Amino acid sequence: MTEPDRPLDVLILAAGQGTRMKSALPKVLHPVAGRPMVAWAVRAAQELGARQVVVVTGHGAPQVEAALSGSGVRFARQQRQLGTGHAFLVGAQALPSTGDADILVLYGDTPLLRTETLRELIAEHRAQGSALTVLTGELPDATGYGRILRDADGNVERIVEEKAATPEEKAVREFNSGVYVMDARAPELARRITNSNPAGEYYLTDLLELYRGEGAKVRAFRLTDPDEVTGANDRAGLAAAEAILRRRINAAHMRAGVTLQDPDTTRIEDTVTLGRDVTLEPGVILRGQTRVADGVTVGAYSVVTDSVLEAGAVVKPHSVLEGARVGAGSDVGPFARLRPGTVLGEGVHIGNFVETKNAQLAAGVKAGHLAYLGDVTVGQETNIGAGTIVANFDGVEKHQSSVGAGVFIGSNSTLIAPRVIGNAAFVAAGSTVHEDVPEGALAIARGKQRTVEGWSRRYWGGLREKVGQKLPWLARWLARQGER
């Protein structure tokens, strides 16, 4: 088997508690740019074509395993957290026993590490014929990291931890990232790691000395960008990682033909798909499994989650969409809210302060202002007047209504669900509809207007003193009435 064809197995160490997060949520499940941190490591491993990916869990294991369920990984539980060397051994027991693969060690809290970097690391490891290659970086001040000490040939001689380093060793700028690729002997050698140190833990770094003790070559591959291996250990680190990933994601979309009018305020999660010639105005947030087709415009400060926007759709500013589908050429907003189950056909108009939920609106429907459409289907070219409400909840259950094609619903109407409004029917403005309306019929369901002349003068005149104190404009009007 040639070097490039050798299988690759990946161990992801994700058992730590992460006390600095001060959270009930396991550290590796804190989301960054739309994915839990550990999912970034899983994604990288799978993009490398790993034969087997094993995630070592410990603290919050049931939650971590549930979050990664269905992702194609295996799990190994580290019941007691006794150090990275122990975690490696626990994970290695879940790997295939064929002994023919390189093993890559990653961590569940380093979401910034690029797949391209790991691919280069593995290629260098194999090209150099190394037994173990450590991924390193260089910082002006590497305080807090283990330092890489090399021999005259550039091989890694040892890794010295900060607390054990001499002043000369602390001046070394090259640091250990903790990411390694090693040959198939690693699990066997790791069984020889001891915990004879002040912390009483098993350190994976001891593997380096075991390899060197056998005369094997240990090399280092230095990162170009040391930020890639920065871990998110607390909320500040989480925010910093989010900012870096956001810039990467935004830059990738702009290179692919998306216009971001203000990239610094635009947030696109990594799970979002965007077509060409999409325009995102300032402050836009796109989340979850959102898919945006070619030529869509999303207005300023709109939030779109788990939704589909078809070609040429326009979402105007300050709109909120969740679990919705917007048909080609439709427009939504401003200040509209589309809740889960909303499906808009082609050329639908949803105006300002319109809310929909579990509503299917066919092509050409218009709901321009201040309406609530819940649990309803609406046929083609129907007009929904301002202030219309579908009263779908009776206090116990939700009820479904149906409005046909070519219907006109007058302003300030209320449809008491479950209702069926036939094709081409009319509902007069201000009606409260509590019976079905047949096709082509006109429904008028409002009280008869009664006009009482001179009522205001008699009523307010009896309250003249209070009126003068509270409503001076009305007092002046009453005075004028008395002069007539």
Side-chain angles (χ1 to χ4, degrees):
M1 183 179 296
T2 62
E3 291 287 336
D5 294 331
R6 194 160 60 220
L8 176 72
D9 292 329
V10 179
L11 291 182
I12 300 173
L13 308 188
Q17 183 174 359
T19 54
R20 282 178 283 177
M21 282 291 182
K22 302 187 186 309
S23 174
L25 186 69
K27 173 184 175 181
V28 298
L29 291 187
H30 281 266
V32 181
R35 299 180 190 273
M37 282 198 286
V38 67
W40 285 94
V42 170
R43 176 189 176 186
Q46 292 174 335
E47 287 179 344
L48 290 169
R51 178 180 66 178
Q52 186 66 259
V53 180
V54 175
V55 179
V56 180
T57 62
H59 179 75
Q63 291 171 274
V64 176
E65 292 167 12
L68 295 176
S69 176
S71 63
V73 304
R74 298 180 66 183
F75 300 102
R77 287 198 184 184
Q78 187 185 20
Q79 300 296 348
R80 298 173 61 201
Q81 281 73 66
L82 302 177
T84 53
H86 179 251
F88 175 82
L89 279 174
V90 170
Q93 292 173 7
L95 292 175
S97 57
T98 51
D100 60 343
D102 288 327
I103 300 172
L104 173 66
V105 177
L106 301 176
Y107 295 85
D109 63 349
T110 53
L112 301 178
L113 191 53
R114 299 175 188 266
T115 305
E116 294 79 7
T117 298
L118 294 172
R119 193 171 282 118
E120 291 173 4
L121 166 67
I122 294 164
E124 178 75 6
H125 170 78
R126 292 174 174 175
Q128 293 292 331
S130 301
L132 182 149
T133 303
V134 55
L135 184 66
T136 70
E138 188 172 298
L139 291 170
D141 180 2
T143 299
Y145 290 96
R147 305 305 204 282
I148 299 296
L149 303 181
R150 298 179 182 245
D151 62 19
D153 296 324
N155 297 313
V156 178
E157 192 169 64
R158 61 194 179 97
I159 299 173
V160 59
E161 297 302 326
E162 170 86 16
K163 58 188 175 184
T166 66
E168 292 78 14
E169 290 167 342
K170 288 180 179 179
V172 174
R173 296 167 58 184
E174 188 176 12
F175 67 89
N176 173 29
S177 74
V179 174
Y180 310 92
V181 59
M182 55 196 74
D183 66 22
R185 290 178 296 163
E188 180 183 348
L189 289 175
R191 294 189 186 96
R192 292 157 51 186
I193 295 174
T194 69
N195 64 344
S196 55
N197 55 69
E201 292 189 350
Y202 299 86
Y203 293 131
L204 191 55
T205 49
D206 291 350
L207 197 57
L208 182 148
E209 293 184 16
L210 293 171
Y211 268 115
R212 284 186 61 85
E214 293 196 341
K217 184 188 292 187
V218 177
R219 301 285 294 179
F221 178 79
R222 189 178 299 175
L223 282 161
T224 303
D225 178 8
D227 281 346
E228 288 193 43
V229 290
T230 301
N233 296 314
D234 55 21
R235 306 298 177 123
L238 205 62
E242 176 87 26
I244 291 170
L245 281 172
R246 185 171 69 246
R247 288 193 292 271
R248 288 184 191 173
I249 292 167
N250 288 357
H253 283 303
M254 287 188 286
R255 287 194 297 268
V258 175
T259 295
L260 273 59
Q261 293 182 350
D262 186 0
D264 289 341
T265 62
T266 303
R267 287 165 168 76
I268 307 169
E269 291 187 347
D270 186 62
T271 48
V272 171
T273 302
L274 301 179
R276 293 171 58 185
D277 295 318
V278 169
T279 298
L280 305 180
E281 295 180 358
V284 166
I285 299 175
L286 304 180
R287 295 174 172 159
Q289 301 302 315
T290 293
R291 293 188 287 118
V292 182
D294 294 352
V296 169
T297 296
V298 182
Y301 305 103
S302 292
V303 181
V304 183
T305 305
D306 295 327
S307 297
V308 176
L309 309 181
E310 296 181 355
V314 175
V315 176
K316 295 179 181 178
H318 299 282
S319 295
V320 178
L321 285 67
E322 180 181 3
R325 188 179 193 98
V326 178
S330 293
D331 66 282
V332 175
F335 295 99
R337 184 183 181 194
L338 273 53
R339 292 166 57 191
T342 295
V343 178
L344 308 184
E346 294 186 6
V348 171
H349 169 63
I350 297 293
N352 50 286
F353 301 104
V354 174
E355 179 178 352
T356 63
K357 189 272 295 184
N358 194 25
Q360 291 80 49
L361 279 57
V365 170
K366 294 177 174 58
H369 329 272
L370 303 156
Y372 172 67
L373 305 175
D375 297 294
V376 63
T377 60
V378 181
Q380 294 184 10
E381 303 297 335
T382 285
N383 184 84
I384 307 294
T388 294
I389 293 174
V390 178
N392 57 328
F393 185 48
D394 64 6
V396 179
E397 295 180 349
K398 301 288 180 67
H399 297 279
Q400 186 76 27
S401 293
S402 173
V403 178
V407 172
F408 182 90
I409 307 291
S411 297
N412 267 1
S413 294
T414 301
L415 309 182
I416 308 296
R419 285 284 68 81
V420 175
I421 311 298
N423 294 335
F426 276 66
V427 173
S431 293
T432 298
V433 179
H434 54 87
E435 296 179 359
D436 292 349
V437 181
E439 181 174 338
L442 167 65
I444 305 175
R446 60 193 183 204
K448 183 178 180 180
Q449 180 172 325
R450 178 178 172 226
T451 303
V452 180
E453 297 288 347
W455 183 90
S456 292
R457 183 169 54 186
R458 293 195 299 273
Y459 177 75
W460 291 112
L463 300 174
R464 185 180 299 275
E465 183 176 346
K466 289 185 178 180
V467 167
Q469 295 173 355
K470 301 288 186 180
L471 300 171
W473 65 269
L474 185 55
R476 292 192 294 272
W477 180 81
L478 288 170
R480 290 196 298 272
Q481 297 302 307
E483 295 171 358
R484 295 179 180 177

